[in-house]
Amino acid sequence: TLSVNIPASILATAPATIPLWYFNDSTGLWKQEGSALKTGDTYIGTVSHFTFWNCDDPFEYVKIKARIVNNAGLPVAVTKVMITAANGSNAYDYTDNNGYVDGFVPKNEVLVFKVLNTCNQPAYSSNIGPFNVLTDLGNITITQNTTTVYGTAVSCTNAAVTDGYVQVTLNGSVGFAGIINGNFSYTFLNCNNSTTAQLLAVDNNTLKQGYNVTVNLAGNNVNAGA
């Protein structure tokens, strides 16, 4: 007899029965065999042999993708995106330097798509789906105020850095802006109304980096200079 505790966070929505799976060492795959019955806060089932066993309720998934931008169309980097399913379960990921995010979601379900600011509060929320094929949601515009820090990165000889990045530290969180032809730009949701950010430029060609530079965040567009 196999007993598996049900996490408190999903106890209320956990189904009355759930398939049992064991890991097949020969094929390297999980195989379904039997089921377990919900008894209080535990699933209990009978198994016929000893190996790695698991309780899983399988779902079909489909991939979606989106790009998070501000009112000016600039990508919002390193921003948390959360998807919530009808049963209350959720998953999250962060946008990349160009505002893109993608991942797998339950197939044929209506979902809630949220973009969270650095205070973990919704800056955007909308129902999406259902989906049964790969779907590109396109640009999702955040109306909450954003801050853009931009500038140039130069070498010790004052030449433009052609291959590198700028590390941006804000309230303990770190993001990265790619350097293109010596220029960089980084847009983020500044919910804490932070007054400063730290920038660190890195030159991949010379394997050198500068010193941390503190930039005052006055206004929505901040020129950090060189």
Side-chain angles (χ1 to χ4, degrees), residues 13 17 26-27 34 42 44 59 74 86 91 98 101 104 121 145-148 153 156 163 165 176-177 190 204 209 221:
T13 58
T17 60
S26 300
T27 63
T42 306
I44 299 177
F59 292 94
L74 296 174
N98 296 309
V101 65
F104 289 92
Q121 300 165 338
N145 284 340
T146 59
T147 300
T148 299
C156 295
D163 180 13
Y165 60 90
F176 301 92
N190 189 5
N204 290 333
Q209 66 182 36
N221 292 285

Side-chain angles (χ1 to χ4, degrees), residues 97 153-156 159-167 176-184 200-210:
N97 295 334
V154 296
S155 68
C156 295
V161 175
T162 58
D163 180 13
Y165 60 90
V166 174
Q167 175 181 296
F176 301 92
I179 299 171
I180 302 174
N181 296 325
N183 301 304
F184 71 90
L200 176 67
V202 177
D203 186 344
N204 290 333
N205 284 329
T206 61
L207 300 179
K208 292 183 178 180
Q209 66 182 36

Side-chain angles (χ1 to χ4, degrees), residues 118-152:
T118 53
C119 301
N120 217 36
Q121 300 165 338
Y124 174 91
S125 180
S126 178
N127 289 337
I128 60 172
F131 306 109
N132 55 28
V133 295
L134 169 67
T135 302
D136 187 349
L137 300 177
N139 285 355
I140 292 178
T141 302
I142 303 299
T143 58
Q144 187 179 70
N145 284 340
T146 59
T147 300
T148 299
V149 178
Y150 64 96
T152 59

Side-chain angles (χ1 to χ4, degrees), residues 95-130:
T95 59
D96 65 13
N97 295 334
N98 296 309
Y100 290 103
V101 65
D102 62 31
F104 289 92
V105 299
K107 196 174 185 179
N108 296 319
E109 282 193 31
V110 175
L111 309 164
V112 179
F113 184 103
K114 290 182 180 180
V115 180
L116 305 179
N117 59 27
T118 53
C119 301
N120 217 36
Q121 300 165 338
Y124 174 91
S125 180
S126 178
N127 289 337
I128 60 172

